[in-house]
């Protein structure tokens, strides 16, 4: 197993579609270049923001291979291979390995609602099936189940489970995980708006949807904090928070795809059961976008 530096800002990349809703690799190339240029330290492909639930296995593998090719080693590429089915996740992970990805993200099993031991064995089995670094993804708001601190701490002892994307919103749980895991185990915020508070208790960075739009600004905020410029970092957090909220004012990733379009980066629409923003939602997003992003970026 090789170690992986996930960086400060891992962007949960949207998946570009064409006008018919098919995977659009030409638009994907343009988006990857844009994200690397605008502050992404690593790219997460086919996560929730990438509409993974609506992508076929063939589409995911094509997307992984293409992003790896375009990134060309400039930033790590992490594949979202997690599902609620342990066997299916293992099989997809093995196929994804062949595309040249640098690591995987595996989400807590949604819908099935396993207990803590079930979650432990799920991730243990996935980790044992690959030599790639594994990032756990705890998001009870979507998966219904919360992987508690004790389970994450146990899993962190497995050699190639090297990070967790924590989206429980529970700072007590997050603090306990950081306190009880080795220094080389990375905890990333899974909530954009909690990035700075999580950094303050020892977090590493963020796996971010908003970074599709404000990756550079989020990275500058984190770097300011790491330099001890706490007042400046806090001011950046306050300035960016309204846009972070606006990007989740409707089911994700409809707002972020709309914002990218407003900035001249057409990544297509969303797949059902997601729907485009209505006019009221578009105008509200546009107002916040224009008050946060410098006009020259439009």
């Amino acid at each position: 197993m090789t170690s992986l530096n996930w960086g400060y800002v891992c962007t949960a990349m949207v998946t570009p579609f064409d006008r018919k809703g098919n995977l659009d690799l030409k638009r994907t190339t343009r988006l990857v270049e844009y994200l690397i240029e605008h502050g992404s330290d690593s790219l997460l492909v086919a996560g929730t923001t990438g509409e993974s639930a609506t992508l076929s296995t063939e589409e995911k593998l094509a997307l992984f291979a293409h992003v790896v090719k375009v990134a060309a080693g400039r930033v790590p590429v992490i594949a979202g291979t997690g599902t609620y089915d342990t066997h299916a996740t293992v099989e997809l992970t093995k196929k994804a390995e062949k595309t040249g990805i640098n690591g995987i993200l595996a989400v807590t099993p949604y819908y099935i609602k396993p207990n803590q031991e079930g979650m432990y064995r799920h991730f243990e089995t996935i980790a044992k099936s690959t030599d790639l670094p594994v990032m756990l993804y705890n998001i009870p708001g979507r998966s219904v189940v919360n992987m508690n601190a004790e389970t994450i701490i146990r899993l962190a002892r497995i050699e190639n489970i090297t990070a967790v994307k924590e989206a429980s919103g529970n700072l007590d749980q997050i603090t306990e995980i950081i306190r009880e895991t080795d220094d080389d185990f990375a905890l990333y915020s899974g909530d954009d708006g909690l990035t700075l508070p999580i950094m303050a208790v020892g977090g590493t960075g963020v796996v971010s949807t908003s970074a599709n739009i404000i990756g550079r600004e989020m990275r500058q905020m984190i770097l300011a904090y790491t330099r001890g410029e706490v007042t400046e970092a806090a001011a950046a957090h306050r300035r960016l928070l309204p846009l972070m909220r606006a990007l989740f004012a409707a089911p994700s990733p409809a707002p972020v795809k709309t914002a990218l379009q407003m900035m001249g980066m057409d990544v297509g629409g969303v797949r059902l059961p997601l729907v485009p923003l209505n006019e009221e939602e578009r105008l509200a997003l546009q107002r916040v976008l224009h008050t946060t992003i410098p006009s020259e970026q439009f």
Side-chain angles (χ1 to χ4, degrees):
M1 184 201 76
T2 57
S3 60
L4 178 61
N5 180 2
W6 313 79
Y8 290 123
V9 177
C10 176
T11 300
M13 195 178 89
V14 301
T15 298
F17 299 133
D18 63 20
R19 292 181 181 180
K20 294 182 179 180
N22 298 314
L23 183 63
D24 192 322
L25 296 181
K26 186 176 181 180
R27 287 177 172 176
T28 300
T29 297
R30 188 178 173 215
L31 178 62
V32 169
E33 293 292 349
Y34 175 83
L35 294 177
I36 292 174
E37 183 182 342
H38 287 80
S40 297
D41 294 314
S42 54
L43 298 174
L44 168 63
V45 184
T48 308
T49 304
E51 296 174 77
S52 57
T54 72
L55 297 174
S56 68
T57 296
E58 292 72 23
E59 286 175 320
K60 289 178 182 178
L61 293 173
L63 191 59
F64 298 155
H66 186 74
V67 175
V68 166
K69 181 180 178 181
V70 176
R74 289 174 290 171
V75 297
V77 178
I78 295 94
T81 60
T83 73
Y84 55 42
D85 179 340
T86 307
H87 176 75
T89 302
V90 167
E91 291 302 304
L92 178 56
T93 298
K94 288 179 178 178
K95 291 175 181 177
E97 282 182 322
K98 298 175 182 178
T99 68
I101 55 158
N102 304 106
I104 68 160
L105 177 87
V107 68
T108 43
Y110 42 92
Y111 187 75
I112 290 178
K113 296 172 68 174
N115 62 17
Q116 296 299 313
E117 184 61 23
M119 281 187 273
Y120 178 84
R121 294 188 188 184
H122 171 79
F123 288 112
E124 178 189 41
T125 301
I126 294 166
K128 286 183 176 179
S129 76
T130 182
D131 290 328
L132 290 172
V134 176
M135 179 184 282
L136 310 172
Y137 183 15
N138 185 39
I139 181 162
R142 285 185 180 270
S143 64
V144 184
V145 290
N146 176 56
M147 184 161 53
N148 65 30
E150 181 183 355
T151 302
I152 294 172
I153 293 161
R154 284 179 68 198
L155 286 165
R157 299 184 187 119
I158 297 172
E159 183 182 6
N160 63 326
I161 295 181
T162 62
V164 61
K165 177 184 178 184
E166 239 294 343
S168 67
N170 185 335
L171 282 174
D172 287 351
Q173 171 165 306
I174 288 164
T175 301
E176 183 179 354
I177 294 165
I178 294 168
R179 186 183 66 228
E180 299 297 333
T181 52
D182 292 340
D183 290 343
D184 58 357
F185 183 78
L187 186 142
Y188 283 83
S189 174
D191 294 299
D192 290 339
L194 287 180
T195 302
L196 193 58
I198 286 175
M199 291 291 295
V201 296
T204 303
V206 62
V207 180
S208 171
T209 296
S210 301
N212 282 277
I213 308 299
I214 49 172
R216 181 178 290 162
E217 291 82 356
M218 294 185 75
R219 194 169 193 277
Q220 289 170 345
M221 176 186 73
I222 291 172
L223 286 174
Y225 180 81
T226 62
R227 292 192 299 263
E229 299 167 1
V230 178
T231 301
E232 291 81 356
H237 167 78
R238 292 191 297 270
R239 180 172 61 85
L240 297 174
L241 188 60
L243 180 56
M244 293 177 186
R245 288 177 174 168
L247 292 171
F248 289 93
S252 182
V256 73
K257 280 191 160 183
T258 303
L260 281 165
Q261 182 185 51
M262 290 174 177
M263 297 175 69
M265 179 66 60
D266 188 358
V267 292
V270 290
R271 286 180 172 176
L272 287 171
L274 296 174
V275 294
L277 301 187
N278 61 38
E279 190 59 24
E280 182 180 349
E281 290 168 334
R282 284 182 63 88
L283 289 172
L285 175 60
Q286 189 172 46
R287 284 193 295 270
V288 179
L289 195 63
H290 276 276
T291 58
T292 308
I293 302 294
S295 58
E296 59 267 21
Q297 292 191 31
F298 288 87

